Structure formats: C-alpha cells, structure tokens
Amino acid sequence: MVLPAKFNHPGNILIADQFNNRVIEADKNGNIVWSWVSVHGFPPPIPYWGVNDAERVGRDTLMAGTGIPAASIPTARPVAWTGRVILVDPSGNIIWQYGQFGVNGSGADQLNAPVQATWAPDQTVYITDQANQRVIQVDMNQNIVWQYERPAFRATVSTS
C-alpha cells in the first residue's frame, strides 16, 4: 500500500471516532490523511466495535475499543459491548491483539471495557480495563506481566 505523504507527519492528530467505528489521522488543515475502519463494522448482523483510544507506535496504530452500548444504535446486537486492544499496520491489518471479539471477561486474553491502551518502551502494552477495575501490562505473547486491581469494596454496617 502506498501511503499519503502526510501519513504520520509531525503536527497531525490521531482521532478515535467511536461512534463512526474508525480512527482517523488529520493534518493541521483538517484533511483526513489516513483512516482505519473496523472490519467488524456496522450495520448488523456484524457486531460494532467502537474505538475509544488510539496512539501511534512507530508507523503502527494501537487502539482500545469497547464498542458502544447496544441501545445507542437500535439495531445493534448486545455483543456491541465487546473489548479488545489491537495494533494495526499502516494498511489496517491487525498484527497483534489482546482480548477476544464477542467475549467479555477477566480471564486470560479477556477484557471488559478497555478504554485506553499505552505502548511502553519495553514493547508491552498497559491497558485500562474499566469494567474489571484494573490496569494490566501485557507482553507481545499475550501474557499479563503486571496488574493493579481495585481493592474489593467492603461496606461497613453500623450496629448502633
């Protein structure tokens, strides 16, 4: 694929456009110079995967997506609330992912509303997994190498 001369150019901005199911890169004049649209796009019956966050990793793009609430689009299926973090090359090919499309959870290779992902210099990814109330660090082999979970909430009951 031949990329536009302004692709990944200093001063461009990367925009996660959740409700249009895409990530776009715009130049300083507002022209779209690159875009990625989920292969699992809208309309149904294919599930909708909305992108919450995107960042460039060299020429690749790291994205965290939770989808959208099914009620936001009346014909969207409940699986619309699915979460993955993916890394795509400039041609839009998925070259790495954590989480499974259509599966929410907290087990191995599972996420539940990943709202943000950050690439670290050691080639790991920090993921804010909102519904699981945790931040995890994942390596390129999809192993969790570190995590911080919110301590369990314990209500206190007064007996007086």
Side-chain angles (χ1 to χ4, degrees):
M1 169 184 213
V2 177
L3 295 168
K6 297 233 176 191
F7 170 80
N8 209 16
H9 191 269
N12 288 359
I13 187 168
L14 201 59
I15 302 166
D17 186 4
Q18 182 182 20
F19 290 100
N20 285 313
N21 201 31
R22 66 185 182 164
V23 173
I24 60 174
E25 179 183 354
D27 66 18
K28 65 180 179 180
N29 297 317
N31 300 307
I32 296 174
V33 297
W34 180 84
S35 67
W36 179 88
V37 178
S38 173
V39 294
H40 297 286
F42 193 73
I46 301 168
Y48 186 92
W49 187 71
V51 183
N52 292 19
D53 177 63
E55 82 171 66
R56 276 285 151 70
V57 177
R59 292 174 53 87
D60 299 329
T61 307
L62 182 68
M63 299 176 236
T66 58
I68 61 166
S72 299
I73 298 177
T75 54
R77 296 184 351 203
V79 77
W81 267 121
T82 190
R84 289 187 301 168
V85 172
I86 63 174
L87 184 66
V88 300
D89 67 17
S91 298
N93 301 305
I94 298 172
I95 56 175
W96 180 85
Q97 79 174 26
Y98 189 83
Q100 302 169 48
F101 195 82
V103 176
N104 287 329
S106 60
D109 197 27
Q110 294 179 347
L111 298 167
N112 194 354
V115 294
Q116 194 272 338
T118 300
W119 182 263
D122 63 356
Q123 298 188 358
T124 59
V125 178
Y126 286 87
I127 301 169
T128 303
D129 189 12
Q130 184 179 32
N132 285 322
Q133 298 183 0
R134 66 182 182 170
V135 175
I136 59 175
Q137 180 185 17
V138 179
D139 67 19
M140 293 296 99
N141 293 317
Q142 299 175 320
N143 299 307
I144 295 176
V145 295
W146 175 87
Q147 75 176 351
Y148 173 80
E149 293 182 90
R150 180 176 181 224
F153 176 75
R154 296 176 200 243
T156 56
V157 178
S158 173
T159 56
S160 51

